[in-house]
Amino acid sequence: MPLLMMYNAKEKLDKDLRAKVFTFLGKLQEDDTAPGLHVEPMHNPADSRVRTGRVDQAYRAVLFKVTGKEEVMYVYVGTWHHDEGIEKARKSVLSFNPHGGFPEIEERDDPSTPGEAPASESGSTALNAKPWLAELGFSAEELVRELGLSEATARRALAALTAEDLLEVAVSVDGWQGEALMLLLDGMAFETIRAKLGLDEAVEHDDADDDVERLKKASKHPLARASFTYVDSSEELRQVIEAGDFGAWRIFLHPEQRRYATKSYNGAFRLSGGAGTGKTVVLVHRARELWKANPDARIVLTTYTKNLADMLASNLRQLDTEVPIASAFGESGVYIANIDALIARVLKSAGADVTAATSAVLGRPVTHVNNRTDDGAWQAAIDSAGADLPEALKSPGFFSAEYSMVVLPARITNRADYFTVARPGRGVALNRAGRAHVWSVIDAYRASANIDGVIDYEEAAAVAAAHVDLAGGVTRFADHVLVDEGQDLTPARWQFLRALAPEGADDLFIAEDSHQRIYGQKVVLGRYGIKIVGRSQRLTLNYRTTEQNLRWAVAVLAGAEYSDVEGSDESTAGYHSARLGPVPELVPCTSVSDEYDAVAERVRTWIDDEGVAPEAIAVLVRDKSTQARMTTALGDRGVTAQQVDRGSIKAGHPSVLTMHRAKGTEFERVVLAGVADGAVPAAMRSEQYSEESLADAMLRERSLLYVAATRARDVLVVTWSGIRSTLIGPQSD
């Protein structure tokens, strides 16, 4: 019975063809000599071991047949239309990398030579122009020797006349070799690139190993595991085939991602990275690895919103159905919920014991911890007790931020303590008299809430954190806490998460991207008991969107200064995509009605003329009122769309989402609609109490547009009526 190894060909096969591939490979594993499979060698191939097999009359599977002393292994490369499959097979070569010893597959145009470098595709065609890498002192031989690149890739890289040419080469080269060129383009040293990709990890084998044994052992190398997977059951085969391109993350992990998913850390660890770099993938894999290491462990997997928590649960089920998803907070297994749901569960379980925590946080024992404050409570407190405030501070935005960033994390319960508490990063200087006026409003807010029998979400988080802290080791709810989208969490929520698990190895694992902070204020974790102290790494390769879409999105952030949750400057340097595509299209419209027409026509063309699945299309807008109007307008123009607020994306119709709701989603094609001045960025009236607050709000608006733009995998269209947003600026022309 032949063995089977699958190569990550990043296929996009339809459902019927995937089923046929599954049937073909299943029969191959049973009997590779069955005549119906038509497993046949090629005439004059680049690699004599290559074979093709008949999936159906129109499609051929490309395989390598590796023969050992006692076993035969097939490496499935992919399935293509008949003629394309034959040509693919003729050019394909399975080899072992001379630097790392891991298997890889490449195509050679001429079976007899490694290939010549193509002419540069850029406009830089001046006579005697020196290639970009050569100007820096690199040679093709050095790239082969130091990085293990193929000769063909090295020659192409050395033919690139400009950095832009080299980037195009890097993106066009599949897998780790393209990424190595991107890292070289960013100025990274050879030894650093090798460490980042795991190139120096040795593959151990014996001289007596036959070809099958060597392939088995080599496939365990980190870079091999990013492209190859051994299949030893029918169920595994089904999972790999059904995963396809969108689900490849379940099987094929980049060496760097695998390192962060599996390594043990002596304390809290932070993984940062831009949109689409795979932080969530690492987090889900890490949850499984922690469970495999200790099935009795209590693992909490959390994020800010319920929609994102539901996505995490779905991803974990897809990854491994054997991982138990705990049904109760504090049980063994992986418990998944958004952070406010976790807080509510702690408060509910506390019962009457919660009064000690409320006294510590609010200055009085209360039991109404499960009822939430209504909107407008801060404005009411300002109206009743804020007469002496400067006009600029008569803002609910100021008080909400002051309360969540200063008062609650410091557990201030009286005026005297507020007079002395530090207020780092608030941007509004307050003397003693100013603090007295502010405290009067806070006191009125608390008194009114006590009468109404409510507390707000920030107070709930602070009380829950205090409750767990005061109980000490008795009621810790977790052994490991994994946090996604950490940039959006507030101080009290961080204090709560810190309290859930005792400090120690692998206690907190935080995934975050400060460029995607679309809620709340800047937070520095060290102020709230979370000590990273050097345990921090950054991902830079985008797996979701194209290089063109990523550049457009990153340009939205240009000129603004961001800092991460450790208080250090955050940069977009090094962000690249592994894919190419069309340049984002900007569509100015003369009126709102004209914009509705343009969006409807674009969506209709994608579905009717280009065959794009409706659910692979999204229209993203700034707010809910615009969302409702857009959904109705599309329907009036013959395009039935689903307005998505909660829950998952359903098949059958394009989706209309707010930019906030789109967080965590991805679509093949996206329209960013209504990106006009006055809408994006929003007016931000509640943030105008200080220049610092307004600047921070503007950062969040930039981040929101960045998040929205990076939802697009392939095609991005941006529309507006009137004056376009200042955030997209002339750099997009």
Side-chain angles (χ1 to χ4, degrees), residues 28-41:
L28 181 75
Q29 284 186 286
E30 292 175 4
D31 180 8
D32 61 328
T33 65
L37 298 177
H38 292 273
V39 177
E40 302 165 351

mmCIF file with all atom_site columns, all heavy atoms in Angstrom, residues 28-41:
data_model
loop_
_atom_site.group_PDB
_atom_site.id
_atom_site.type_symbol
_atom_site.label_atom_id
_atom_site.label_alt_id
_atom_site.label_comp_id
_atom_site.label_asym_id
_atom_site.label_entity_id
_atom_site.label_seq_id
_atom_site.pdbx_PDB_ins_code
_atom_site.Cartn_x
_atom_site.Cartn_y
_atom_site.Cartn_z
_atom_site.occupancy
_atom_site.B_iso_or_equiv
_atom_site.pdbx_formal_charge
_atom_site.auth_seq_id
_atom_site.auth_comp_id
_atom_site.auth_asym_id
_atom_site.auth_atom_id
_atom_site.pdbx_PDB_model_num
ATOM 1   N N   . LEU A 1 28 ? -5.448 5.644  -5.074  1.00 0.00 ? 28 LEU A N   1
ATOM 2   C CA  . LEU A 1 28 ? -4.003 5.543  -5.233  1.00 0.00 ? 28 LEU A CA  1
ATOM 3   C C   . LEU A 1 28 ? -3.371 4.882  -4.021  1.00 0.00 ? 28 LEU A C   1
ATOM 4   O O   . LEU A 1 28 ? -2.467 4.039  -4.148  1.00 0.00 ? 28 LEU A O   1
ATOM 5   C CB  . LEU A 1 28 ? -3.404 6.938  -5.451  1.00 0.00 ? 28 LEU A CB  1
ATOM 6   C CG  . LEU A 1 28 ? -1.889 7.004  -5.657  1.00 0.00 ? 28 LEU A CG  1
ATOM 7   C CD1 . LEU A 1 28 ? -1.529 6.522  -7.063  1.00 0.00 ? 28 LEU A CD1 1
ATOM 8   C CD2 . LEU A 1 28 ? -1.379 8.440  -5.450  1.00 0.00 ? 28 LEU A CD2 1
ATOM 9   N N   . GLN A 1 29 ? -3.837 5.232  -2.821  1.00 0.00 ? 29 GLN A N   1
ATOM 10  C CA  . GLN A 1 29 ? -3.298 4.644  -1.601  1.00 0.00 ? 29 GLN A CA  1
ATOM 11  C C   . GLN A 1 29 ? -3.649 3.161  -1.480  1.00 0.00 ? 29 GLN A C   1
ATOM 12  O O   . GLN A 1 29 ? -2.918 2.392  -0.873  1.00 0.00 ? 29 GLN A O   1
ATOM 13  C CB  . GLN A 1 29 ? -3.806 5.399  -0.376  1.00 0.00 ? 29 GLN A CB  1
ATOM 14  C CG  . GLN A 1 29 ? -3.121 6.745  -0.149  1.00 0.00 ? 29 GLN A CG  1
ATOM 15  C CD  . GLN A 1 29 ? -3.561 7.386  1.149   1.00 0.00 ? 29 GLN A CD  1
ATOM 16  O OE1 . GLN A 1 29 ? -4.676 7.895  1.255   1.00 0.00 ? 29 GLN A OE1 1
ATOM 17  N NE2 . GLN A 1 29 ? -2.681 7.362  2.134   1.00 0.00 ? 29 GLN A NE2 1
ATOM 18  N N   . GLU A 1 30 ? -4.793 2.774  -2.058  1.00 0.00 ? 30 GLU A N   1
ATOM 19  C CA  . GLU A 1 30 ? -5.198 1.369  -2.013  1.00 0.00 ? 30 GLU A CA  1
ATOM 20  C C   . GLU A 1 30 ? -4.390 0.522  -2.994  1.00 0.00 ? 30 GLU A C   1
ATOM 21  O O   . GLU A 1 30 ? -3.910 -0.564 -2.670  1.00 0.00 ? 30 GLU A O   1
ATOM 22  C CB  . GLU A 1 30 ? -6.692 1.246  -2.329  1.00 0.00 ? 30 GLU A CB  1
ATOM 23  C CG  . GLU A 1 30 ? -7.595 1.834  -1.259  1.00 0.00 ? 30 GLU A CG  1
ATOM 24  C CD  . GLU A 1 30 ? -9.061 1.806  -1.672  1.00 0.00 ? 30 GLU A CD  1
ATOM 25  O OE1 . GLU A 1 30 ? -9.361 1.259  -2.764  1.00 0.00 ? 30 GLU A OE1 1
ATOM 26  O OE2 . GLU A 1 30 ? -9.902 2.322  -0.916  1.00 0.00 ? 30 GLU A OE2 1
ATOM 27  N N   . ASP A 1 31 ? -4.244 1.028  -4.236  1.00 0.00 ? 31 ASP A N   1
ATOM 28  C CA  . ASP A 1 31 ? -3.552 0.261  -5.276  1.00 0.00 ? 31 ASP A CA  1
ATOM 29  C C   . ASP A 1 31 ? -3.132 1.204  -6.389  1.00 0.00 ? 31 ASP A C   1
ATOM 30  O O   . ASP A 1 31 ? -3.953 1.606  -7.213  1.00 0.00 ? 31 ASP A O   1
ATOM 31  C CB  . ASP A 1 31 ? -4.469 -0.835 -5.823  1.00 0.00 ? 31 ASP A CB  1
ATOM 32  C CG  . ASP A 1 31 ? -3.793 -1.667 -6.906  1.00 0.00 ? 31 ASP A CG  1
ATOM 33  O OD1 . ASP A 1 31 ? -2.574 -1.500 -7.118  1.00 0.00 ? 31 ASP A OD1 1
ATOM 34  O OD2 . ASP A 1 31 ? -4.494 -2.479 -7.545  1.00 0.00 ? 31 ASP A OD2 1
ATOM 35  N N   . ASP A 1 32 ? -1.855 1.549  -6.429  1.00 0.00 ? 32 ASP A N   1
ATOM 36  C CA  . ASP A 1 32 ? -1.395 2.522  -7.425  1.00 0.00 ? 32 ASP A CA  1
ATOM 37  C C   . ASP A 1 32 ? -1.285 1.930  -8.825  1.00 0.00 ? 32 ASP A C   1
ATOM 38  O O   . ASP A 1 32 ? -1.003 2.653  -9.784  1.00 0.00 ? 32 ASP A O   1
ATOM 39  C CB  . ASP A 1 32 ? -0.063 3.143  -7.014  1.00 0.00 ? 32 ASP A CB  1
ATOM 40  C CG  . ASP A 1 32 ? 1.039  2.097  -6.883  1.00 0.00 ? 32 ASP A CG  1
ATOM 41  O OD1 . ASP A 1 32 ? 0.729  0.954  -6.504  1.00 0.00 ? 32 ASP A OD1 1
ATOM 42  O OD2 . ASP A 1 32 ? 2.211  2.429  -7.142  1.00 0.00 ? 32 ASP A OD2 1
ATOM 43  N N   . THR A 1 33 ? -1.511 0.608  -8.939  1.00 0.00 ? 33 THR A N   1
ATOM 44  C CA  . THR A 1 33 ? -1.460 -0.018 -10.265 1.00 0.00 ? 33 THR A CA  1
ATOM 45  C C   . THR A 1 33 ? -2.833 -0.131 -10.911 1.00 0.00 ? 33 THR A C   1
ATOM 46  O O   . THR A 1 33 ? -2.937 -0.626 -12.037 1.00 0.00 ? 33 THR A O   1
ATOM 47  C CB  . THR A 1 33 ? -0.837 -1.422 -10.168 1.00 0.00 ? 33 THR A CB  1
ATOM 48  O OG1 . THR A 1 33 ? -1.698 -2.268 -9.376  1.00 0.00 ? 33 THR A OG1 1
ATOM 49  C CG2 . THR A 1 33 ? 0.549  -1.357 -9.539  1.00 0.00 ? 33 THR A CG2 1
ATOM 50  N N   . ALA A 1 34 ? -3.859 0.311  -10.216 1.00 0.00 ? 34 ALA A N   1
ATOM 51  C CA  . ALA A 1 34 ? -5.217 0.212  -10.772 1.00 0.00 ? 34 ALA A CA  1
ATOM 52  C C   . ALA A 1 34 ? -5.273 0.938  -12.115 1.00 0.00 ? 34 ALA A C   1
ATOM 53  O O   . ALA A 1 34 ? -4.869 2.107  -12.209 1.00 0.00 ? 34 ALA A O   1
ATOM 54  C CB  . ALA A 1 34 ? -6.225 0.801  -9.800  1.00 0.00 ? 34 ALA A CB  1
ATOM 55  N N   . PRO A 1 35 ? -5.760 0.286  -13.177 1.00 0.00 ? 35 PRO A N   1
ATOM 56  C CA  . PRO A 1 35 ? -5.710 0.888  -14.514 1.00 0.00 ? 35 PRO A CA  1
ATOM 57  C C   . PRO A 1 35 ? -6.520 2.173  -14.649 1.00 0.00 ? 35 PRO A C   1
ATOM 58  O O   . PRO A 1 35 ? -6.169 3.045  -15.439 1.00 0.00 ? 35 PRO A O   1
ATOM 59  C CB  . PRO A 1 35 ? -6.270 -0.220 -15.419 1.00 0.00 ? 35 PRO A CB  1
ATOM 60  C CG  . PRO A 1 35 ? -7.034 -1.130 -14.500 1.00 0.00 ? 35 PRO A CG  1
ATOM 61  C CD  . PRO A 1 35 ? -6.324 -1.075 -13.195 1.00 0.00 ? 35 PRO A CD  1
ATOM 62  N N   . GLY A 1 36 ? -7.563 2.336  -13.886 1.00 0.00 ? 36 GLY A N   1
ATOM 63  C CA  . GLY A 1 36 ? -8.391 3.531  -14.002 1.00 0.00 ? 36 GLY A CA  1
ATOM 64  C C   . GLY A 1 36 ? -7.698 4.804  -13.556 1.00 0.00 ? 36 GLY A C   1
ATOM 65  O O   . GLY A 1 36 ? -8.116 5.909  -13.910 1.00 0.00 ? 36 GLY A O   1
ATOM 66  N N   . LEU A 1 37 ? -6.606 4.658  -12.793 1.00 0.00 ? 37 LEU A N   1
ATOM 67  C CA  . LEU A 1 37 ? -5.883 5.836  -12.309 1.00 0.00 ? 37 LEU A CA  1
ATOM 68  C C   . LEU A 1 37 ? -4.981 6.440  -13.387 1.00 0.00 ? 37 LEU A C   1
ATOM 69  O O   . LEU A 1 37 ? -4.685 7.637  -13.332 1.00 0.00 ? 37 LEU A O   1
ATOM 70  C CB  . LEU A 1 37 ? -5.036 5.465  -11.087 1.00 0.00 ? 37 LEU A CB  1
ATOM 71  C CG  . LEU A 1 37 ? -5.797 4.963  -9.857  1.00 0.00 ? 37 LEU A CG  1
ATOM 72  C CD1 . LEU A 1 37 ? -4.812 4.572  -8.753  1.00 0.00 ? 37 LEU A CD1 1
ATOM 73  C CD2 . LEU A 1 37 ? -6.768 6.010  -9.350  1.00 0.00 ? 37 LEU A CD2 1
ATOM 74  N N   . HIS A 1 38 ? -4.530 5.623  -14.297 1.00 0.00 ? 38 HIS A N   1
ATOM 75  C CA  . HIS A 1 38 ? -3.651 6.084  -15.371 1.00 0.00 ? 38 HIS A CA  1
ATOM 76  C C   . HIS A 1 38 ? -2.443 6.856  -14.818 1.00 0.00 ? 38 HIS A C   1
ATOM 77  O O   . HIS A 1 38 ? -2.119 7.958  -15.281 1.00 0.00 ? 38 HIS A O   1
ATOM 78  C CB  . HIS A 1 38 ? -4.411 6.962  -16.369 1.00 0.00 ? 38 HIS A CB  1
ATOM 79  C CG  . HIS A 1 38 ? -5.429 6.213  -17.168 1.00 0.00 ? 38 HIS A CG  1
ATOM 80  N ND1 . HIS A 1 38 ? -5.127 5.569  -18.343 1.00 0.00 ? 38 HIS A ND1 1
ATOM 81  C CD2 . HIS A 1 38 ? -6.750 5.997  -16.937 1.00 0.00 ? 38 HIS A CD2 1
ATOM 82  C CE1 . HIS A 1 38 ? -6.214 4.988  -18.823 1.00 0.00 ? 38 HIS A CE1 1
ATOM 83  N NE2 . HIS A 1 38 ? -7.218 5.222  -17.987 1.00 0.00 ? 38 HIS A NE2 1
ATOM 84  N N   . VAL A 1 39 ? -1.791 6.270  -13.822 1.00 0.00 ? 39 VAL A N   1
ATOM 85  C CA  . VAL A 1 39 ? -0.581 6.878  -13.276 1.00 0.00 ? 39 VAL A CA  1
ATOM 86  C C   . VAL A 1 39 ? 0.563  6.581  -14.242 1.00 0.00 ? 39 VAL A C   1
ATOM 87  O O   . VAL A 1 39 ? 1.006  5.431  -14.373 1.00 0.00 ? 39 VAL A O   1
ATOM 88  C CB  . VAL A 1 39 ? -0.271 6.338  -11.868 1.00 0.00 ? 39 VAL A CB  1
ATOM 89  C CG1 . VAL A 1 39 ? 1.039  6.923  -11.353 1.00 0.00 ? 39 VAL A CG1 1
ATOM 90  C CG2 . VAL A 1 39 ? -1.412 6.674  -10.918 1.00 0.00 ? 39 VAL A CG2 1
ATOM 91  N N   . GLU A 1 40 ? 1.045  7.625  -14.924 1.00 0.00 ? 40 GLU A N   1
ATOM 92  C CA  . GLU A 1 40 ? 1.955  7.418  -16.045 1.00 0.00 ? 40 GLU A CA  1
ATOM 93  C C   . GLU A 1 40 ? 3.172  8.337  -15.937 1.00 0.00 ? 40 GLU A C   1
ATOM 94  O O   . GLU A 1 40 ? 3.064  9.479  -15.484 1.00 0.00 ? 40 GLU A O   1
ATOM 95  C CB  . GLU A 1 40 ? 1.227  7.705  -17.364 1.00 0.00 ? 40 GLU A CB  1
ATOM 96  C CG  . GLU A 1 40 ? -0.006 6.830  -17.561 1.00 0.00 ? 40 GLU A CG  1
ATOM 97  C CD  . GLU A 1 40 ? -0.915 7.351  -18.673 1.00 0.00 ? 40 GLU A CD  1
ATOM 98  O OE1 . GLU A 1 40 ? -0.666 8.482  -19.153 1.00 0.00 ? 40 GLU A OE1 1
ATOM 99  O OE2 . GLU A 1 40 ? -1.868 6.649  -19.033 1.00 0.00 ? 40 GLU A OE2 1
ATOM 100 N N   . PRO A 1 41 ? 4.329  7.839  -16.383 1.00 0.00 ? 41 PRO A N   1
ATOM 101 C CA  . PRO A 1 41 ? 5.518  8.706  -16.429 1.00 0.00 ? 41 PRO A CA  1
ATOM 102 C C   . PRO A 1 41 ? 5.432  9.679  -17.592 1.00 0.00 ? 41 PRO A C   1
ATOM 103 O O   . PRO A 1 41 ? 4.590  9.555  -18.470 1.00 0.00 ? 41 PRO A O   1
ATOM 104 C CB  . PRO A 1 41 ? 6.657  7.705  -16.626 1.00 0.00 ? 41 PRO A CB  1
ATOM 105 C CG  . PRO A 1 41 ? 6.013  6.543  -17.329 1.00 0.00 ? 41 PRO A CG  1
ATOM 106 C CD  . PRO A 1 41 ? 4.609  6.467  -16.800 1.00 0.00 ? 41 PRO A CD  1
#
